[in-house]
Amino acid sequence: MIIVPIYDMMILPGVTFYFKSEILQRPDIAEIKKDEDILFIVQKTDKERGAMTADDFYPVGISGKVDNIDSEGNISIKANERVEICDIEVSEQVIEASASSLEDKEDITPEEVGQKFEKIKSSLLKFVQGFQWGVWARSFILHWRSLDEVACALSGYLTISSEEKYAIMETGSKKERYEKIEAAVYEFMAVSKISREAEDAQEETNEQAYREMAIKKQIEILQRQLDEMHPENISDVRRFESKLNESGMNEEARREADKVLNRMKQEGKDGHEYGMLYDYLDFLTSLSWQTHEDDNVDLLEAERILDEDHYGLKKVKERIIQQMAVMILNKKQAGSILLFVGPPGTGKTSIGQSIARALHRGYVRISLGGIRDEAEIRGHRRTYIGAMPGRIMEGMKRSGVMNPVMVLDEVDKLAKDYGGDPASALLEVLDPEQNSNFTDHYMNVPYDLSKVLFVCTANTTDTIPEPLLNRMEVIQFPGYTALEKFQIARKHLIPKAMLSMGIKARNLNITDGALRKIIDDYTMESGVRGLKKQIDTLCRSAAVKLVKEEQKSITVSEKRVAEFLGRNVLHHEGILEEKIPGVVTGLAWTSAGGEILFIETSLTKGSGKIQITGQLGEVMKESAQIAITLVKSLYPEEAEKLNTNDLHIHVPAGAVPKDGPSAGITLLTAIASLITGRGVDPEYAMTGEISLRGRIMPIGGLPEKLLAAQRAGITKVFIPEDNIDDLEEVAEEVKGKLQILPVKKVTDVLKTVLTS
């Protein structure tokens, strides 16, 4: 007897099955013969033969006999009866078992069985008519002769589990068995019908979608051809659809744009919101959303470009080159936000253009001076009439790229009022950790600003809020020396002025002496803006003479400067001509650069009153009080004069407000000089704040102050010892003409100037 394990298969008595001989072959059987007994045992779970055990089989199986073996090795086996399986033994390749017959319970008549069979057969024939394979299946159905055969033939298609199939085989009652077969077959047909209806519905839906897609595609192709033939007739909606498809904007921005475009379609050109929707889509599609990789930046070329466009500024250029080197190594925008701080006309804004040219990037400049409304930075919400994007995103639109060099000019002149704080709005813009998802109120979708190289400019850091200042790296732009101004004028200002006036080089020659006279006598600022105006004026005057043909070639010498520029209206404070007790030269910083100033003191008969004039601010008034107290402690005998006389302290140019923490040492020296009667040598100038302990504290703006001292003819300057490191920022030309004396205590200054 050959034992054949089966799983998830229904074998019932009286049904003939067909197998390949390889399936039934066993190692211990040389050849299967006709009339050989077969025993089908049912597995509980699907396992490989080597992993089977006796507990893996159900107790009821089916016995059968080999009915026929054809020449191709196909074996037909007729199932005979249900049997009870006993004594199962499983080895690696062989399964042994014994079986005893089980009788079926004849509780249903042959007529009832025949009726059930005919009914199921009829239902199946009708069922298969709706399928393409129905004709093929019909011939099989017509050959079935019993309900058992129907169940066994459909065993692999029924929607019942392997346990339910075994339950049908195990059932001894024929009536119950046939009822289970009926239920399984009718359930199969019902489920198949529903599945087919669902598939048909899905297919119809898909067909409709494909048809709609094909129609839209055809319309799009035809519309595109019409647009190419008549570009002037392209509708706004079509134009924006095309721009949106080409924009490459992020998913959130695209969703918002599509929503606005749909509203635009519904509104139509006569809708009251059409203009607002048009402006929004026009702005959104005008922005660059594609990330462009930086071209290979050549540091040598960048250095050449910076030197071509700007003379001097060595420290500034070194820092810019460092920033570029970091960007090259990281292959992305990296490094600090640069804040250029210095007097007007020193090249802070124009160097931004040079940076853009060196990086091969777009350039855009945004002036922040006087902005009071936060919406100027973040934009207005579209719920308001006349809503506009902020200046940052407007600048991005003008640049046309995602990674421009953006110069934020005059950051120190931002204002704050009821409209908000624009400086706070800049915090997100300039924070590399946040600006990758900057959201303008007008756009209402995130935009990546992390690729932008921000460069800020300011005349002073005093008015910049601390949180904003912390996000930037301050780079000082010192004022230009006379030599630097000369070179800038010769290499840049004069050629540009002559080009703009239409004057050829052979028609106008400005001698070196004339240029130096213009620098010394007609300008007084740290930058070169005033110098440019004077050169422009000179070229215009020369243009008049050339047009009138008074001269064909003009040479402007030092003596002829007044002929072209008129009388010199500027007056520079110069070095004092003689020692005067109570008068000392100080150094001051202004937003336009450095200046020298004189502290003048005088005693008059009185009762010890103190009068301070010259529009001094609170800081300088307090410095004066500290200076008086220190003088009284240092010179107690001479200070008795202050009790019997009134002290008048004056800083000339009374119409100009003055304030700042750097005049303390000058005030102290002037008062000490007055009461001791010893004048201070005019070649000395000084700067520094003082404390009641007599210490000289550090100050700011040292490069500008030393430049002013050198320009005025001062030869010796006292500076706070703590400011020695700041001398690195001072031009060598200036340091070479000054004797700089670092001091720590006020007594160091007094010993030097009042005993010499």
Side-chain angles (χ1 to χ4, degrees), residues 536-585:
D536 288 346
T537 301
L538 187 149
C539 289
R540 285 194 295 270
S541 299
V544 172
K545 294 180 180 295
L546 291 171
V547 171
K548 287 183 176 181
E549 296 185 352
E550 294 178 7
Q551 290 179 265
K552 291 185 179 180
S553 178
I554 299 173
T555 298
V556 181
S557 62
E558 185 175 351
K559 294 180 180 179
R560 295 189 68 189
V561 170
E563 178 187 341
F564 289 85
L565 296 182
R567 183 175 61 86
N568 176 19
V569 296
L570 295 179
H571 174 68
H572 289 286
E573 293 288 0
I575 189 170
L576 293 172
E577 296 180 357
E578 58 181 344
K579 289 183 182 181
I580 302 175
V583 180
V584 178
T585 306

Side-chain angles (χ1 to χ4, degrees), residues 271-432:
H272 66 284
E273 286 189 347
Y274 185 87
M276 182 268 290
L277 299 174
Y278 179 96
D279 291 341
Y280 177 77
L281 287 175
D282 182 55
F283 179 78
L284 218 59
T285 53
S286 298
L287 289 171
S288 172
W289 296 86
Q290 302 285 355
T291 301
H292 300 289
E293 294 295 331
D294 286 336
D295 295 332
N296 291 328
V297 179
D298 186 344
L299 285 186
L300 294 177
E301 181 191 9
E303 288 178 342
R304 179 183 59 76
I305 290 173
L306 292 174
D307 289 336
E308 275 182 6
D309 295 348
H310 295 81
Y311 182 83
L313 304 175
K314 181 180 178 183
K315 296 282 185 183
V316 176
K317 292 176 183 177
E318 285 180 359
R319 180 61 187 87
I320 292 170
I321 293 298
Q322 291 169 6
Q323 183 93 338
M324 292 181 183
V326 171
M327 291 166 57
I328 292 171
L329 292 177
N330 285 326
K331 299 189 183 304
K332 65 177 182 180
Q333 177 62 40
S336 307
I337 306 297
L338 303 181
L339 172 61
F340 297 151
V341 179
T346 51
K348 302 184 299 297
T349 302
S350 59
I351 204 168
Q353 289 179 294
S354 302
I355 295 172
R357 193 156 71 92
L359 290 174
H360 308 291
R361 290 193 184 189
Y363 168 81
V364 61
R365 173 185 168 273
I366 298 174
S367 178
L368 302 180
I371 290 181
R372 297 177 176 272
D373 190 352
E374 178 189 347
E376 291 286 337
I377 304 296
R378 286 187 173 276
H380 304 82
R381 299 192 185 277
R382 279 179 286 146
T383 51
Y384 300 109
I385 295 175
M388 295 175 60
R391 296 200 181 192
I392 301 297
M393 294 312 303
E394 188 64 43
M396 293 301 297
K397 174 188 172 183
R398 291 203 313 271
S399 71
V401 292
M402 277 194 80
N403 62 343
V405 174
M406 182 175 288
V407 175
L408 302 179
D409 234 350
E410 314 293 356
V411 177
D412 57 326
K413 296 177 180 62
L414 287 170
K416 182 198 297 188
D417 65 1
Y418 65 90
D421 183 5
S424 297
L426 273 181
L427 293 178
E428 181 185 359
V429 175
L430 299 180
D431 190 344

Side-chain angles (χ1 to χ4, degrees), residues 43 117 119 251 280 472 504 532 560 629 665 695 726:
Q43 296 175 246
F117 171 64
K119 186 177 180 182
E251 185 177 345
Y280 177 77
M472 300 181 283
K504 293 181 172 56
K532 178 181 182 301
R560 295 189 68 189
T629 301
I665 185 61
R695 292 182 59 83
D726 295 336

